[in-house]
C-alpha cells in the first residue's frame, strides 16, 4: 500500500479547519511564502546558468555587500506577497525601512519579516543557504508603521525557514509543534515528511565560528573549553564540531539531530549585541527551536522575550538542545 502524502496545503487546511489554529488569511499568507520559496529554490538551483551568482555591486542597510541572489530573493518575496490582501507591510534584512503594501492592493492584518537569503557567503560555493521568515499580527490602529514591527518574538503567529540544500525543505511552526516539508520537484509541491520534530535535550555537537575564539566573552570561552577537553574534562564526554556559516543549515541540523548553535556577542564590536538579526533570524529560529523542545537565549534572557527597539536590531544567539543552552546561560548569569 502506498503511503498517503500530505501536502503543505492540506496540512495548513487541517490546521485551520480541524484544529482552528490558524485563520484563513494566515493560511493563505503562508502558502504564498512557500510559493515564493519555490521560486527562490529554482533560481538557486540554476546557479551560474541563471546568472544569479556573484555580487550585485550594492550594500544593504547594515553595510554588507549584497549578492545578486540576496536581491532576487528579496524581490521574489515582495512580488509574491504584496497583492494577496493578507499583509499590511513587510520588513527585510535587505531593505532599509518597512515595505508598505501599495494602496492599489487590499490591506491585510499581518506583518511579514524575512531574511530572503541567509548564508549569503555560501551562495557562490554551492553550499546550503535558505530563507527565514516570521509573521506577526499588526497591532490595531491606523496606518502601519515601523513601530508595529517592534513586538517581542513570543507574539509571532508563524515562523519558519526554507533550506536550499541537497533537498529544498520547508520547516514551519504556527504554535503547534514544528513540521517539515520536502519539495517534490516533479509535482511542484511541498510534502509533509515529519511532524512534531523534537530536539534531544542533550548533545555532543556544538556549532560556533572558532576563528573568533580570542574575542569571546569568558562564559562562552569556558563552555567551549570544557567541550574541547572531551572525556578527560569536566563534561566527561567528547564533543564534535560543525559550522556551516548558514544559520538555516546549522539550525536545520539541530532540529534534525540536536546540537547547540552560538553566535555570541564578542569583543570585536563591543557596542553591538551580536551579529545576527533579532527580527529576521533570532526570533523565528528561537520559536522553532522552543516548539521542538529546545531553548534559545542571548546568554541572559529568553530571546522570545526581548523587546526590540529597532527593526535591524542585532542580538547574541545561543540555541538548540535545552540542557546545553541552559548550561551556557547559567555560565553567563554566574549561577554555575
Ligand atoms: P547573512 O544573513 O548576511 O547571510 O549573515 C548571517 C550568517 C548566518 O547564516 C551564519 O550563521 C553567520 O552569518 C556566519 O557568520 P560568519 O561568516 O561570521 O561565520
Ligand atoms: Mg541571515
Amino acid at each position: 500500500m502506498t503511503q498517503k502524502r500530505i501536502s503543505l496545503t492540506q496540512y495548513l487546511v487541517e490546521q485551520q479547519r480541524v484544529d482552528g489554529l490558524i485563520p484563513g488569511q494566515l493560511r493563505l499568507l503562508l502558502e504564498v511564502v512557500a510559493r515564493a520559496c519555490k521560486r527562490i529554490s529554482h533560481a538557486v538551483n540554476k546557479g551560474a546558468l541563471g546568472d544569479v551568482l556573484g555580487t550585485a555591486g550594492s550594500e544593504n542597510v547594515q553595510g554588507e555587500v549584497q549578492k545578486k541572489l540576496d536581491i532576487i530573493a528579496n524581490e521574489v518575496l515582495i512580488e509574491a506577497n504584496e497583492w494577496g490582501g493578507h499583509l499590511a507591510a513587510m520588513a527585510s534584512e535587505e531593505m532599509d525601512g518597512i515595505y508598505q503594501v501599495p494602496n492599489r492592493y487590499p490591506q491585510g492584518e499581518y506583518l511579514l519579516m524575512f531574511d530572503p537569503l541567509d548564508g549569503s557567503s555560501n551562495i557562490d560555493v554551492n553550499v546550503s543557504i535558505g530563507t527565514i521568515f516570521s509573521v506577526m499580527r499588526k497591532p490595531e490602529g491606523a496606518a502601519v508603521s515601523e513601530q508595529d514591527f517592534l513586538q517581542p518574538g513570543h507574539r509571532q503567529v508563524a515562523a519558519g525557514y526554507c533550506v536550499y540544500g541537497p533537498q529544498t525543505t520547508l520547516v514551519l511552526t504556527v504554535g503547534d509543534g514544528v513540521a517539515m516539508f520536502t519539495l517534490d520537484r516533479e509535482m511542484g509541491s511541498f510534502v509533509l515528511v515529519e511532524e512534531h520534530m523534537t530536539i534531544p535535550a542533550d548533545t555532543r555537537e556544538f556549532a560556533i565560528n572558532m576563528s573568533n575564539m580570542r574575542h569571546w566573552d569568558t562564559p562562552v570561552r569556558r563552555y567551549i573549553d570544557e567541550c574541547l577537553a572531551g572525556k578527560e574534562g569536566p563534561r566527561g564526554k567528547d564533543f564534535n564540531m560543525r559550522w556551516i556559516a548558514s544559520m538555516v543549515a546549522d539550525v536545520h541540523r539541530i532540529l534534525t539531530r540536536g546540537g547547540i548553535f552560538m553566535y555570541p556577542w564578542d569583543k570585536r564590536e563591543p557596542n553591538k549585541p551580536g551579529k545576527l538579526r533579532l527580527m529576521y533570524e533570532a526570533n523565528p529560529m528561537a520559536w522553532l527551536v522552543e516548539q521542538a523542545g529546545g531553548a534559545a537565549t542571548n546568554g541572559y534572557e529568553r530571546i522570545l522575550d526581548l523587546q526590540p527597539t529597532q527593526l535591524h536590531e542585532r542580538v547574541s544567539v545561543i540555541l538548540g538542545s535545552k540542557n546545553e543552552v541552559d548550561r551556557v546561560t547559567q555560565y553567563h548569569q554566574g549561577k554555575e
Side-chain angles (χ1 to χ4, degrees):
M1 207 175 90
T2 51
Q3 218 189 333
K4 191 172 172 304
R5 286 160 59 109
I6 297 173
S7 67
L8 174 67
T9 302
Q10 189 179 348
Y11 173 85
L12 291 172
V13 167
E14 278 167 15
Q15 295 275 319
Q16 179 190 348
R17 197 177 50 206
V18 183
D19 303 332
L21 261 167
I22 50 171
Q25 221 186 61
L26 178 57
R27 171 174 71 80
L28 293 169
L29 160 56
L30 292 171
E31 292 217 42
V32 177
V33 171
R35 214 154 45 227
C37 289
K38 274 189 242 175
R39 283 180 55 195
I40 298 169
S41 171
H42 199 65
V44 168
N45 287 164
K46 283 200 161 153
L49 304 181
D51 191 27
V52 298
L53 304 185
T55 55
S58 51
E59 285 187 354
N60 67 13
V61 63
Q62 290 121 112
E64 297 159 340
V65 174
Q66 290 179 305
K67 302 278 181 152
K68 282 184 196 165
L69 260 180
D70 284 325
I71 294 175
I72 293 168
N74 196 60
E75 280 168 4
V76 166
L77 280 156
I78 288 178
E79 278 171 28
N81 281 289
E82 67 178 352
W83 51 269
H86 322 303
L87 283 177
M90 295 176 244
S92 159
E93 189 180 304
E94 300 301 335
M95 298 189 292
D96 296 10
I98 65 167
Y99 180 91
Q100 293 191 25
V101 168
N103 286 333
R104 61 182 182 280
Y105 300 123
Q107 307 289 305
E109 58 195 49
Y110 291 102
L111 305 172
L112 175 65
M113 283 148 277
F114 46 83
D115 176 355
L117 223 285
D118 178 62
S120 305
S121 71
N122 282 323
I123 295 174
D124 294 349
V125 292
N126 201 1
V127 170
S128 296
I129 45 183
T131 298
I132 312 174
F133 60 91
S134 159
V135 185
M136 288 190 186
R137 216 175 248 284
K138 175 186 168 298
E140 301 282 314
V144 65
S145 70
E146 195 166 308
Q147 190 61 34
D148 292 338
F149 283 83
L150 305 182
Q151 306 179 48
H154 63 246
R155 305 275 291 271
Q156 292 173 103
V157 292
Y161 63 79
C162 189
V163 56
Y164 314 113
Q167 303 112 43
T168 289
T169 303
L170 184 88
V171 174
L172 177 74
T173 186
V174 290
D176 179 35
V178 179
M180 174 162 86
F181 304 83
T182 297
L183 180 62
D184 180 333
R185 289 187 194 281
E186 282 82 51
M187 304 303 287
S189 61
F190 281 105
V191 179
L192 182 67
V193 289
E194 192 174 341
E195 228 177 328
H196 302 297
M197 298 180 83
T198 50
I199 301 175
D202 292 301
T203 181
R204 290 165 178 248
E205 200 159 63
F206 66 85
I208 191 165
N209 185 335
M210 293 289 286
S211 69
N212 297 326
M213 184 182 255
R214 69 192 184 285
H215 307 296
W216 292 341
D217 206 4
T218 317
V220 175
R221 183 74 194 237
R222 173 183 169 195
Y223 175 76
I224 296 296
D225 279 349
E226 290 177 0
C227 292
L228 295 177
K231 265 201 205 83
E232 295 76 28
R235 302 299 310 276
K237 57 182 183 180
D238 290 335
F239 279 78
N240 187 20
M241 193 203 90
R242 287 285 183 273
W243 184 251
I244 303 175
S246 286
M247 187 193 200
V248 167
D250 276 314
V251 170
H252 191 64
R253 185 189 59 256
I254 288 170
L255 276 165
T256 310
R257 68 176 189 211
I260 180 168
F261 169 95
M262 291 188 270
Y263 210 120
W265 171 90
D266 69 40
K267 292 171 198 144
R268 278 175 299 173
E269 292 186 278
N271 300 326
K272 264 193 200 162
K275 174 182 178 180
L276 300 177
R277 270 87 7 165
L278 177 60
M279 312 298 281
Y280 319 111
E281 295 168 324
N283 271 343
M285 292 311 202
W287 198 30
L288 285 164
V289 164
E290 283 199 6
Q291 281 288 310
T297 76
N298 66 354
Y300 299 94
E301 288 168 83
R302 182 180 177 230
I303 285 180
L304 295 180
D305 286 338
L306 299 173
Q307 173 60 53
T309 55
Q310 41 174 310
L311 206 51
H312 297 289
E313 187 160 328
R314 293 177 190 256
V315 66
S316 187
V317 176
I318 298 160
L319 59 76
S321 290
K322 188 163 185 333
N323 291 344
E324 297 299 310
V325 174
D326 287 351
R327 176 182 285 268
V328 188
T329 306
Q330 280 164 14
Y331 288 0
H332 279 83
Q333 294 168 338
K335 288 186 188 158
E336 217 185 292

